[in-house]
């Protein structure tokens, strides 16, 4: 079998190249074996990535066991939690494209035969999936796994707990000492934050896409089982190379339909509505919000994981993990079990799956509801349209209080996340209000900041079931409440959200899939004539270049062709 690595280490002309390899300790025997790149996002600034060196080592051990030569190279990653609520959040989503581009550069420059992708947190997973689809070289994924949930006084704690506690302190419902005690306990160790937030959503979705072994999304980071999974992934990398299994043969439309069905059943982060279209774009086809609603309409919501409920990812794993959820969905033919994967077919992991009850975890004993008794008959996410969002917007409906599924109220206008947060903490938001945060979209942000600080503060103040929040920005997977994001077109592009004024009446109908402002077409047209966009918030550096290149959230915020 001819190898790509032959181009960097075979023949007389490559003697200089081999000399450089030997400077790193390579021996002649290794030049006759496949060269397997390991793209690892290890760093000391992201809890989910702190331990990825151990995952990479286990994967490398698997590669060597299977007869390959592993070579690690680094990948950047931003911690969304640490970046949240300040200038740093502009630099989160924008790294997705940097990650894909940098992996392309490293793999193509160094002649790797196959690639093992080791992500864990928010933008790193989709960035690596985009790279895999773009490169279309044999590749497999293994994540770092979820953090264990925090525990205090018998209650489960997650990162959501902390952001909501800030609001509780602001409302006088909690002391600073209690806040500190939660701070000490909520994030107990390494791993991606313990709820069904963006990182875990994407790692679970990677299983449904067929690019990772079972357990990728749910095995806790600290378990030996996670290291064994990494070792098996290293072995698998040689198998997909030998069989010449390419990502685009796996990342087909039916794989994305499977991913969306799982997404709806789990109640994943709204960020999946950004990332799945971007990955599909790299794989060569279009995935839009209409398809999201089509899948949501027929796929029941089976799980209430944090922030929608109290269950953590470790509980989902104990209940049977992603195979158990797929098994439930397969009972009504909502997933295609014949879809190809890196290990065979999706059905291979479903045939032995079990939906386990555990009364020690949940009072009902059910983490994954049987499909005959779902939380709702429709999925966890929904797309809405109307004169306020002609190109659509997205809400995690499974995390919305029943009384807020339909809501009408006056707009409270803010042109930046920070001013909205200050108003919330200052007690200026009242029950019934509709907070509007605009000029935070992909272009206007720039970078499409997450709004966990405002939504967490609202929840901590007891307003998450009384106040709606809409934005052309986005939300953390840890957000709950009537939080409607990705409003498109965004304000910076002259979308209708830019024309709103304080007190305009906004109507939200999530079951009806609509979001409107009670203004006539003539009034909106008149306001458009008089509209002047805000000056760019950033005029230099990568963010300025990003703002010029990025497309709408409705198309996944990918770069212009």
């Amino acid at each position: 079998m001819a190898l790509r690595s032959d181009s960097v280490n075979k023949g007389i002309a490559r003697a200089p190249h081999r000399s450089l390899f030997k400077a790193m300790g390579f021996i002649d025997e290794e030049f006759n074996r496949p060269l397997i790149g390991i793209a690892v996002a290890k760093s000391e600034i992201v809890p989910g990535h702190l331990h990825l060196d151990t995952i990479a080592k286990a994967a490398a051990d698997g590669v060597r066991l299977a007869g390959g030569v592993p070579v690690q190279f680094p990948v950047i990653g931003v911690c969304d939690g640490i970046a949240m609520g300040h200038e740093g959040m502009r630099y989160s989503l924008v790294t997705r494209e940097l990650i894909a581009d940098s992996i392309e550069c490293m793999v193509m420059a160094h002649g790797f035969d196959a690639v093992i992708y080791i992500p864990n947190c928010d933008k790193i997973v989709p960035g690596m999936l985009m790279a895999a689809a773009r490169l279309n070289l044999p590749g497999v994924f293994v994540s770092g796994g979820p953090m264990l949930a925090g525990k205090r006084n018998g209650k489960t704690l997650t990162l959501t707990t902390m952001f909501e506690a800030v609001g509780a302190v602001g409302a006088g419902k909690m002391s600073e000492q209690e806040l500190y005690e939660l701070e000490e306990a909520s994030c107990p160790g390494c791993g991606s934050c313990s709820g069904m937030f963006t990182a875990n959503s994407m790692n679970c979705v990677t299983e449904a896409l067929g690019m990772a072994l079972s357990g990728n999304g749910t095995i806790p980071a600290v378990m030996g089982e996670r290291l064994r999974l990494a070792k098996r992934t290293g072995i698998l990398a040689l198998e997909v190379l030998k069989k010449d299994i390419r990502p685009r043969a796996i990342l087909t439309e039916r794989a994305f339909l499977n991913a969306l069905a799982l997404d709806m059943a789990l109640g994943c982060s709204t960020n999946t509505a950004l990332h799945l279209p971007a990955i599909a774009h790299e794989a060569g086809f279009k995935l839009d919000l209409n398809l999201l609603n089509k899948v949501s309409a027929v796929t029941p919501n089976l799980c209430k994981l944090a922030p929608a409920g109290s269950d953590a990812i470790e509980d989902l794993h104990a209940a049977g993990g992603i195979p158990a959820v797929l098994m439930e969905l397969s009972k009504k033919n909502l997933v295609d079990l014949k879809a190809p994967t890196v290990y065979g077919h999706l059905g291979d992991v479903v045939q032995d799956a079990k939906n386990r009850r555990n009364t020690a975890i949940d009072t009902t004993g059910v983490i994954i509801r049987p499909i005959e008794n779902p939380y709702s008959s429709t999925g966890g996410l929904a797309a809405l349209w109307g004169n306020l969002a002609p190109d659509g917007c997205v809400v995690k409906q499974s995390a919305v209080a029943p009384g807020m599924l339909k809501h009408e109220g006056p707009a409270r206008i803010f042109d930046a996340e920070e001013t909205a947060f200050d108003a919330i903490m200052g007690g200026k938001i009242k029950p019934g209000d509709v907070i509007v945060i605009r000029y935070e979209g992909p272009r206007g942000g720039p970078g499409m900041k997450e709004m966990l600080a405002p939504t967490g503060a609202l929840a901590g103040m007891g307003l998450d079931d009384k106040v709606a929040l809409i934005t052309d920005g986005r939300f953390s997977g840890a957000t709950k409440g009537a939080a409607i994001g990705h409003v498109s077109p965004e304000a910076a592009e002259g979308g209708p959200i830019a024309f709103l004024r304080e007190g305009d009446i906004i109507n939200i109908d999530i079951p009806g899939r609509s979001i409107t402002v009670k203004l006539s077409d003539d009034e909106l047209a008149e306001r458009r004539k008089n509209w002047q966009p805000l000056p760019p918030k950033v005029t230099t550096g990568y963010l300025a270049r990003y703002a010029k290149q990025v497309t709408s959230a409705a198309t996944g915020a990918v770069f212009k062709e």
Side-chain angles (χ1 to χ4, degrees):
M1 178 178 64
L3 297 172
R4 289 188 73 252
S5 56
D6 290 350
S7 65
V8 297
N9 62 23
K10 291 291 193 300
I12 294 174
R14 296 296 178 258
H17 304 60
R18 290 192 296 274
S19 180
L20 291 169
F21 275 104
K22 288 179 178 180
M24 296 181 284
F26 280 67
I27 58 176
D28 290 336
E29 288 80 357
E30 289 178 297
F31 298 135
N32 296 316
R33 299 182 179 188
L35 193 64
I36 310 299
I38 300 180
V40 56
K42 154 73 179 178
S43 77
E44 295 183 349
I45 193 59
V46 187
H49 294 187
L50 186 65
H51 64 304
L52 291 190
D53 52 344
T54 65
I55 303 297
K57 181 183 181 302
D61 289 344
V63 169
R64 290 199 181 278
L65 282 170
V69 179
V71 180
Q72 296 182 35
F73 62 89
V75 176
I76 65 166
V78 166
C79 176
D80 277 26
I82 293 174
M84 195 73 65
H86 58 88
E87 182 69 15
M89 182 43 68
R90 300 191 197 285
Y91 288 89
S92 173
L93 179 62
V94 303
T95 63
R96 189 185 68 183
E97 271 58 33
L98 281 177
I99 288 164
D101 291 350
S102 63
I103 291 174
E104 176 190 355
C105 292
M106 291 295 289
V107 171
M108 297 306 293
H110 297 108
F112 293 118
D113 298 303
V115 186
I116 298 173
Y117 300 89
I118 305 181
N120 212 27
C121 292
D122 295 30
K123 280 354 121 305
I124 299 84
V125 186
M128 288 190 177
L129 282 165
M130 290 166 68
R134 183 188 303 174
L135 290 165
N136 201 32
L137 294 171
V140 290
F141 278 70
V142 58
S143 78
M147 183 187 294
L148 294 175
K151 303 291 181 183
R152 181 172 177 266
N153 298 331
K155 293 184 177 181
T156 297
L157 309 177
T158 70
L159 184 63
T160 301
T161 307
M162 290 309 308
F163 279 93
E164 293 180 1
V166 171
V169 172
K173 297 180 178 181
M174 181 182 292
S175 69
E176 290 190 31
Q177 177 58 36
E178 290 175 300
L179 179 68
Y180 178 76
E181 291 172 6
L182 289 175
E183 176 186 323
E184 290 274 289
S186 290
C187 297
C190 66
S192 49
C193 297
S194 57
M196 188 49 76
F197 311 148
T198 304
N200 292 324
S201 295
M202 290 306 304
N203 283 325
C204 290
V205 160
T206 301
E207 287 189 47
L209 285 172
M211 290 299 295
L213 289 168
S214 174
N216 179 72
T218 60
I219 299 171
V222 296
M223 294 178 68
E225 187 180 358
R226 173 63 56 180
L227 295 177
R228 297 197 298 274
L229 181 72
K231 199 170 291 186
R232 292 191 185 100
T233 300
I235 294 171
L236 181 62
L238 274 296
E239 293 179 14
V240 297
L241 174 62
K242 182 178 180 181
K243 296 176 181 177
D244 196 28
I245 299 173
R246 306 287 178 125
R248 288 186 201 165
I250 295 170
L251 296 173
T252 62
E253 185 173 1
R254 58 178 173 168
F256 283 91
L257 288 172
N258 285 339
L260 282 171
L262 178 72
D263 188 327
M264 298 305 164
L266 292 175
C268 289
S269 164
T270 51
N271 280 314
T272 59
L274 272 181
H275 300 321
L276 287 175
I279 299 161
H281 176 76
E282 293 288 355
F285 63 91
K286 182 180 180 181
L287 188 159
D288 61 23
L289 294 180
N290 288 296
L291 185 59
L292 182 149
N293 265 3
K294 182 179 178 181
V295 175
S296 181
V298 297
T299 309
N301 179 222
L302 305 180
C303 300
K304 286 286 187 183
L305 299 152
S310 59
D311 299 328
I313 302 299
E314 65 197 74
D315 303 328
L316 176 62
H317 183 64
I322 301 310
V325 180
L326 294 172
M327 178 193 69
E328 293 293 345
L329 294 174
S330 70
K331 292 177 181 178
K332 292 193 175 181
N333 297 315
L334 295 173
V335 288
D336 183 351
L337 299 183
K338 294 182 180 179
T341 68
V342 288
Y343 51 81
H345 296 90
L346 197 64
D348 295 346
V349 299
V350 173
Q351 60 187 359
D352 296 323
K354 292 182 175 63
N355 186 352
R356 303 185 184 94
R357 296 170 63 87
N358 189 336
T359 54
I361 293 174
D362 182 78
T363 54
T364 66
V366 178
I367 304 301
I368 307 165
R369 281 199 176 186
I371 200 164
E372 298 82 7
N373 182 32
Y375 285 102
S376 69
S377 60
T378 56
L381 299 186
L384 316 180
W385 284 269
N387 67 350
L388 190 49
D391 293 342
C393 55
V394 182
V395 62
K396 186 172 183 174
Q397 62 179 354
S398 60
V400 178
M404 290 298 293
L405 290 171
K406 292 186 177 183
H407 179 74
E408 186 170 287
R412 303 297 308 280
I413 308 297
F414 303 93
D415 289 339
E417 177 203 10
E418 293 84 355
T419 54
F421 179 76
D422 290 344
I424 294 167
M425 295 297 287
K428 297 178 181 179
I429 302 301
K430 307 301 180 186
D433 285 348
V434 179
I435 299 169
V436 177
I437 304 177
R438 62 191 182 187
Y439 292 100
E440 293 288 13
R443 176 183 171 186
M448 203 177 182
K449 291 161 69 177
E450 289 184 342
M451 306 294 167
L452 180 55
T455 58
L458 287 171
M461 290 180 162
L463 291 173
D464 59 303
D465 60 350
K466 302 175 182 68
V467 171
L469 193 159
I470 68 172
T471 180
D472 53 9
R474 60 196 179 93
F475 295 106
S476 164
T479 286
K480 67 180 181 181
I484 299 166
H486 309 190
V487 172
S488 301
E490 62 175 293
E493 293 281 2
I497 192 173
F499 315 141
L500 293 179
R501 296 174 184 169
E502 191 81 7
D504 284 344
I505 301 301
I506 294 174
N507 181 275
I508 298 165
D509 183 355
I510 295 173
R513 303 297 190 252
S514 74
I515 182 167
T516 57
V517 57
K518 289 195 166 183
L519 296 173
S520 67
D521 292 345
D522 288 343
E523 174 64 19
L524 281 171
E526 187 63 29
R527 290 189 186 185
R528 180 186 293 274
K529 289 179 185 177
N530 299 319
W531 171 70
Q532 292 293 326
L534 294 181
K537 295 176 182 177
V538 180
T539 58
T540 61
Y542 178 58
L543 284 180
R545 297 197 304 275
Y546 179 88
K548 293 176 181 178
Q549 293 178 279
V550 71
T551 61
S552 167
T555 56
V558 298
F559 280 172
K560 297 171 184 174
E561 294 293 341

